[in-house]
Amino acid sequence: MDEMRPSSGAAAHLGLASIFPPGLQAIYGESRRLYPDQANPLQVTAIVKYWLGGPDPLDYISMYRNVGCPGQDIPEHWHYVSLGLSDLYGDNRVHDLLVTHGFGFELTFRLKREAGETAPPTWPAELMQGLARYVFQSENTFCSGDHISWHSPLDNSESRIQHMLLTEDPQMLPVQTPFGHVSFLQIVGVCTEELQAAQQWNGQGILDLLRGVHIAGGPWLITDMRRGETIFDIDPHMQQERVDKGIETDGSNLSGVSAKCAWDDLSRPPEDEDDSRSICIGSQPRRLSDKDTEQIREALRKGLEINSKSVLPPISSQRHSHDRPQQSVGHFQTQQISRSRKNSLESESSAAIVPHELVRTRQLESVHLKFNQESGTLLPLCLRGRLLHGRHFTYKSINGDTAITFVSTGVEGAFATEEHPYAAHGPWLQILLTEEFVEQMLADIQDLSTREVSKLPKEYSWPDKKLKISVLPDTVFDSPLQ
């Protein structure tokens, strides 16, 4: 539970900084640089601190009134700044000093001030707490360009602003605290069509388009919850052409999603006791081993390395904490992990499975892939934005340890090959597709690109390739028997 109150920042401003932890001083110092006349801002503060067992990781969210910049047509707005994702105290009460000094960033948010509004709305504070809970629970960090699927108006109204992108705050400069470097990532509210464009291309490209449209955010990317038009409504041809050209030139930065998906091996009967398909009636499917999980995690990390040859790391690979991939969170989320202190793709019981060395890689003759509608609509992105650019794309099941990785012929380190394009390692299926087959598939699944609700199920089949894809209702995946 949170409460709103004036901050005690005035004490530091008056020369009593010694009573404040050093990390807190650094954040307050950068805020005071921008707002010297608001040394005592309103704050939303957790009544019971996270380190005392409270539910909210952020100790405070400070709220400032920003006058904007009339000369640049930047409107007056409310500026929210979090305190708590970085290490404020340096004494192990929140962040394990043996592992990390906090997550290295704080969140900010800019909300357009409505006429006559004298106090900042507090709903952005709960939004920021929700994102902070995700970071603390998953131990995945954010970086500029990330997109966040929220699937609900950010302020619980009827607004079209239902998702988020992240970028560097245009005014808050990174600070160096005694406990490490801290940057400021700004939340930018976007419409569904803008999120989808970011998924198909990349977050930075869409952010650049938003900066160029005043009512969509402008140079400082100020969120207006009353915005009723997307950037594609405002300028349909130019904006879409820029996105299409970006996808064609750059491909997509999205290398994987958590999804409702499953796969069947059609080349042998289901009663085969060695079956490790995702659908397994009467017993539990085999789970991913630690090493398989690590390889999928590494594969997703490598998704943004667009200037080098795409590589699936060997199963025994070690993680590289410096990689900074894109991620998306919410109801449908990417599991590209940047700096993680635990294996968020790993099942809690994965340590009790069959040893990795005993799980052999199997070549399959024929496979059936199953996706829900939201996952299915990403297949054109997977094929056009990833595989045609020599990359890979992974669907990781949210209902278990099943994983489906599509790879192109240019991806190294895959256990699927041109000779054996369908291969499984436990519940992890890899599918290697040639460029010619990808083009054929794109022509056959054009209707999935519309993202409009359509009658399900949908079936797509390529008998000569022994591949079948079904797009099914969510209820199929929610059933224990699938």
Side-chain angles (χ1 to χ4, degrees):
M1 182 177 179
D2 297 330
E3 66 174 356
M4 186 170 73
R5 62 174 178 78
S7 77
S8 53
H13 182 68
L14 296 174
L16 301 179
S18 60
I19 69 173
F20 286 89
L24 199 58
Q25 289 180 38
I27 307 299
Y28 270 136
E30 177 58 17
S31 297
R32 288 197 305 275
R33 182 186 66 81
L34 286 183
Y35 303 105
D37 58 342
Q38 299 181 58
N40 193 25
L42 284 175
Q43 286 185 326
V44 174
T45 180
I47 294 177
V48 180
K49 301 301 184 190
Y50 192 70
W51 37 275
L52 293 176
D56 298 320
L58 300 177
D59 281 7
Y60 313 99
I61 297 98
S62 296
M63 302 178 288
Y64 300 92
R65 185 166 176 168
N66 192 305
V67 298
C69 184
Q72 298 182 42
D73 204 19
I74 295 171
E76 189 171 354
H77 58 278
W78 303 109
H79 193 193
Y80 300 75
V81 181
S82 77
L83 295 103
L85 284 161
S86 62
D87 193 347
L88 303 178
Y89 304 100
D91 59 6
N92 222 35
R93 74 178 75 178
V94 178
H95 300 282
D96 186 351
L97 298 183
L98 296 177
V99 180
T100 180
H101 286 295
F103 293 101
F105 70 96
E106 294 290 350
L107 293 171
T108 73
F109 182 61
R110 295 174 185 268
L111 177 66
K112 183 179 178 181
R113 177 177 170 268
E114 299 296 338
E117 209 168 43
T118 58
T122 57
W123 62 261
E126 180 51 39
L127 182 73
M128 296 167 86
Q129 288 284 18
L131 295 179
R133 281 190 288 270
Y134 166 79
V135 172
F136 272 79
Q137 290 166 12
S138 69
E139 299 183 338
N140 299 337
T141 61
F142 293 136
C143 61
S144 182
D146 285 351
H147 45 77
I148 301 171
S149 304
W150 201 251
H151 296 280
S152 178
L154 303 188
D155 61 353
N156 295 316
S157 68
E158 300 298 318
S159 174
R160 290 187 70 178
I161 307 299
Q162 301 188 11
H163 308 281
M164 292 165 273
L165 300 179
L166 293 175
T167 188
E168 295 91 351
D169 189 286
Q171 289 185 296
M172 301 282 285
L173 301 178
V175 297
Q176 185 68 37
T177 80
F179 316 123
H181 182 84
V182 179
S183 59
F184 296 91
L185 290 178
Q186 180 175 315
I187 300 164
V188 181
V190 296
C191 302
T192 298
E193 295 84 351
E194 293 155 355
L195 172 85
Q196 291 169 351
Q199 290 176 329
Q200 294 177 37
W201 182 19
N202 60 61
Q204 296 291 2
I206 301 304
L207 287 164
D208 286 342
L209 295 183
L210 292 167
R211 289 187 182 97
V213 180
H214 170 65
I215 65 173
W220 290 7
L221 293 170
I222 297 165
T223 298
D224 180 0
M225 294 304 297
R226 295 192 179 188
R227 174 162 69 97
E229 294 181 303
T230 72
I231 55 174
F232 306 107
D233 295 329
I234 297 166
D235 191 347
H237 300 294
M238 188 185 78
Q239 307 292 15
Q240 190 59 56
E241 285 176 5
R242 290 178 66 181
V243 172
D244 291 342
K245 184 177 180 181
I247 295 171
E248 182 181 350
T249 303
D250 306 328
S252 172
N253 279 3
L254 186 68
S255 63
V257 293
S258 287
K260 291 185 177 181
C261 63
W263 62 271
D264 276 330
D265 177 4
L266 299 182
S267 54
R268 63 181 181 179
E271 62 269 15
D272 189 326
E273 64 179 10
D274 222 10
D275 192 2
S276 62
R277 301 171 306 150
S278 60
I279 297 177
C280 189
I281 298 177
S283 63
Q284 291 296 317
R286 181 174 292 150
R287 292 187 172 90
L288 287 172
S289 71
D290 292 348
K291 291 183 178 179
D292 282 335
T293 298
E294 184 66 32
Q295 185 179 4
I296 292 175
R297 176 137 53 80
E298 281 295 309
L300 296 178
R301 282 203 198 93
K302 297 295 183 182
L304 289 190
E305 296 187 0
I306 60 177
N307 294 321
S308 60
K309 194 166 187 179
S310 189
V311 177
L312 278 167
I315 291 175
S316 60
S317 67
Q318 299 298 313
R319 70 183 182 183
H320 303 283
S321 62
H322 63 273
D323 289 327
R324 299 286 301 177
Q326 174 176 319
Q327 64 190 4
S328 174
V329 300
H331 299 160
F332 191 66
Q333 56 186 328
T334 323
Q335 287 293 344
Q336 292 171 268
I337 301 169
S338 50
R339 183 169 53 84
S340 176
R341 287 176 283 172
K342 74 174 182 181
N343 191 336
S344 67
L345 291 181
E346 181 180 352
S347 168
E348 291 180 0
S349 56
S350 63
I353 65 168
V354 177
H356 173 269
E357 290 77 10
L358 301 182
V359 181
R360 59 190 175 87
T361 298
R362 297 187 292 110
Q363 281 78 43
L364 313 180
E365 293 297 321
S366 178
V367 294
H368 182 192
L369 310 182
K370 303 179 181 183
F371 302 97
N372 75 335
Q373 183 165 12
E374 190 168 17
S375 305
T377 58
L378 289 175
L379 282 169
L381 177 157
C382 163
L383 300 176
R384 180 179 295 108
R386 298 294 298 177
L387 269 66
L388 286 184
H389 290 265
R391 304 175 199 165
H392 48 79
F393 190 90
T394 294
Y395 288 93
K396 170 66 180 67
S397 173
I398 62 174
N399 295 327
D401 282 329
T402 299
I404 302 170
T405 296
F406 291 87
V407 298
S408 66
T409 53
V411 175
E412 296 180 348
F415 47 77
T417 64
E418 290 190 62
E419 183 180 2
H420 299 288
Y422 313 134
H425 195 89
W428 182 13
L429 174 69
Q430 287 188 8
I431 298 179
L432 187 146
L433 303 176
T434 64
E435 183 174 339
E436 180 182 9
F437 189 21
V438 168
E439 296 283 8
Q440 179 185 345
M441 290 178 68
L442 282 169
D444 294 338
I445 65 171
Q446 282 185 23
D447 56 329
L448 288 178
S449 300
T450 64
R451 292 184 174 270
E452 295 178 358
V453 177
S454 55
K455 187 176 179 180
L456 299 178
K458 284 181 173 290
E459 303 285 346
Y460 306 90
S461 182
W462 298 270
D464 59 324
K465 300 293 186 180
K466 298 183 179 180
L467 175 64
K468 180 181 178 181
I469 294 178
S470 297
V471 181
L472 306 169
D474 280 4
T475 54
V476 173
F477 299 90
D478 297 335
S479 166
L481 296 183
Q482 300 191 41

